[in-house]
Amino acid sequence: MNKSFWSPGLEKLEPYTPGEQANSKNLVKLNTNENPYPASPEALSLLAQGDFADALRRYPDPESCELRAAIAERYDLNDNQIFVGNGSDEVLALSFYSFFRRSDPLLFPDITYSFYPVYCQLFDIEPRTIPLRADFTLAVEDFAGNAGGIIIPNPNAPTGRYLPLDQIEELLRLQSEQVVIIDEAYIDFGGESATRLIDQHPNLLVIHTLSKSYALAGLRLGFAMGQKHLIEGLLRAKNSFNSYPIDAIAQQVATAAIRDSAWHADNCGKVIATRQRSEEALQELGFQVVSSKANFILAKPPEPGAETLYLALRERNILVRYFNKPRISEYLRISIGTDDEMDQLIRNCKEILASQS
Ligand SMILES: *Cc1c(COP(=O)(O)O)cnc(C)c1O
């Protein structure tokens, strides 16, 4: 391929590879942490009945005022403490650009969301990975020392491990001169959000997404919450890149979804209950299960091991995620599906393990 027209450095980028999006109908898809249930009926009926002709003819509200007001109300914050973007990936990218391009390295765990090193490359940020302990727990004191910023997902991905709020607070105090981003993509599945620390900590930015607990991964909506000076920084970067990021339809649907807190609580409860059943069933089959507060489970299968089981499940139209990476190559990451999907997974694991022994 002729790359001579590309800007220097572009060919050295190693882009993020998302989990496979296969389209087969009878596929049990447990590989990208999507929600197995349809989104809030309030949000979906708005889409079904919506007359968007005028909304689409015009440019959308560049500030997404109504949506930001709904988020602010939900988290007991001010509108000027909310920033919205096309999925939290976009919010993360703008945050890396706005806060982490410094002379000192950005710290994050060695096992974590694999988009972070990609943004480091894109924005020329030096990454420094901090090893998690042997059981995949994060020790706050390991994050001391020179840093140009910190980012951790809580619960972490793909381990599912949750760091309690008092330890997040310790981290905020330990690195009080640096922006600390807590990526809470999975917080609604049993953790406590750090949003209530925002007023005391000027260096805290909390990032959420509607892709997981709101069942709206296809809508592309994420948001950041923090004190006004951080939000202003993000707005400056965003308005230098794309001034109308959230389309008119997404603004309305997301607003309806955020307001439907009853649906949200019920959905998270169902996923948590299925996670607990699934953890027990996997343990009975001999898996070592990492304790999870997310909508997925990281688990180490017995012989013949993770890669073989991943491939055998795939043959049977069941997709889970296998990472051929240091420290987690003996594990599978299994998204929580419906009870029926999890039963199919368990039944097939049982058959495969029996046939191989
Ligand atoms: C899924 C995920 C995201 C991205 O979510 P989008 O809003 O769909 O871009 C961000 N961070 C972590 C840790 C995730 O797992």
Side-chain angles (χ1 to χ4, degrees):
M1 202 200 330
N2 178 3
K3 295 174 183 163
S4 65
F5 293 118
W6 292 12
S7 295
L10 183 58
E11 68 176 303
K12 290 203 201 82
L13 287 183
E14 292 163 54
Y16 175 77
T17 18
E20 190 176 348
Q21 287 297 350
N23 275 328
S24 161
K25 266 224 171 99
N26 50 8
L27 192 71
V28 178
K29 194 172 172 306
L30 306 173
N31 68 331
T32 52
N33 299 343
E34 288 146 335
N35 200 299
Y37 303 106
S40 150
E42 302 283 339
L44 295 178
S45 74
L46 182 74
L47 265 179
Q49 295 156 20
D51 176 0
F52 293 106
D54 259 338
L56 289 175
R57 187 172 58 77
R58 300 202 176 104
Y59 279 104
D61 171 8
E63 289 166 13
S64 300
C65 289
E66 213 184 326
L67 171 57
R68 283 174 40 241
I71 297 168
E73 189 178 328
R74 177 78 204 258
Y75 292 96
D76 202 15
L77 294 165
N78 292 319
D79 298 11
N80 64 13
Q81 296 177 308
I82 314 293
F83 176 85
V84 293
N86 280 292
S88 57
D89 286 341
E90 185 180 275
V91 177
L92 285 165
L94 290 167
S95 303
F96 274 56
Y97 180 85
S98 304
F99 307 124
F100 293 154
R101 291 179 308 130
R102 299 183 174 276
S103 47
D104 287 320
L106 173 67
L107 314 190
F108 51 83
D110 62 337
I111 304 168
T112 199
Y113 187 38
S114 37
F115 227 133
Y116 301 158
V118 177
Y119 292 136
C120 284
Q121 262 202 334
L122 182 63
F123 298 125
D124 214 2
I125 295 162
E126 186 195 338
R128 199 175 115 216
T129 53
I130 307 295
L132 295 173
R133 300 294 169 98
D135 60 357
F136 300 144
T137 53
L138 182 154
V140 167
E141 65 266 28
D142 297 348
F143 284 72
N146 262 7
I150 316 275
I151 183 162
I152 62 169
N154 194 34
N156 196 5
T159 67
R161 284 256 191 233
Y162 170 69
L163 193 66
L165 271 200
D166 59 319
Q167 290 177 52
I168 299 278
E169 233 180 332
E170 227 176 278
L171 180 64
L172 289 164
R173 281 195 293 262
L174 182 73
Q175 290 284 3
S176 61
E177 299 301 310
Q178 308 304 329
V179 171
V180 175
I181 295 185
I182 309 297
D183 179 352
E184 293 190 335
Y186 302 102
I187 196 67
D188 299 327
F189 301 107
E192 192 184 352
S193 174
T195 44
R196 69 174 181 76
L197 305 177
I198 284 173
D199 284 337
Q200 302 91 274
H201 296 276
N203 59 331
L204 169 62
L205 192 72
V206 180
I207 296 185
H208 279 208
T209 174
L210 299 199
S211 297
K212 315 286 168 46
S213 65
Y214 286 87
L216 289 169
L219 192 72
R220 309 307 301 132
L221 204 292
F223 51 97
M225 297 171 280
Q227 289 188 15
K228 186 169 168 242
H229 55 266
L230 296 180
I231 302 304
E232 288 289 331
L234 285 170
L235 285 171
R236 189 170 277 253
K238 166 236 160 199
N239 287 327
S240 307
F241 177 69
N242 178 2
S243 42
Y244 298 107
I246 314 298
D247 70 75
I249 298 175
Q251 289 191 32
Q252 292 189 39
V253 174
T255 303
I258 293 276
R259 286 190 183 139
D260 194 352
S261 52
W263 176 89
H264 186 250
D266 182 64
N267 177 269
C268 294
K270 281 199 287 202
V271 172
I272 291 168
T274 305
R275 178 183 71 211
Q276 283 164 349
R277 287 182 55 225
S278 308
E279 282 186 353
E280 286 161 25
L282 288 169
Q283 274 161 346
E284 267 173 43
L285 292 183
F287 283 67
Q288 280 176 40
V289 173
V290 181
S291 161
S292 170
K293 285 239 189 281
N295 68 339
F296 58 82
I297 297 169
L298 189 73
K300 183 177 171 180
E303 288 298 315
E307 188 169 16
T308 308
L309 184 57
Y310 158 74
L311 292 170
L313 285 168
R314 210 163 179 284
E315 290 273 294
R316 294 166 178 238
N317 275 328
I318 299 177
L319 274 192
V320 299
R321 191 91 193 252
Y322 171 69
F323 300 93
N324 197 356
K325 283 189 184 173
R327 295 188 73 185
I328 51 170
S329 62
E330 292 177 2
Y331 290 78
L332 295 178
R333 191 197 67 188
I334 302 163
S335 307
I336 303 301
T338 61
D339 281 316
D340 179 54
E341 288 173 322
M342 299 315 278
D343 288 345
Q344 288 186 57
L345 169 85
I346 301 295
R347 188 171 359 98
N348 280 278
C349 282
K350 199 169 181 171
E351 284 172 16
I352 294 164
L353 294 174
S355 73
Q356 305 256 349
S357 62

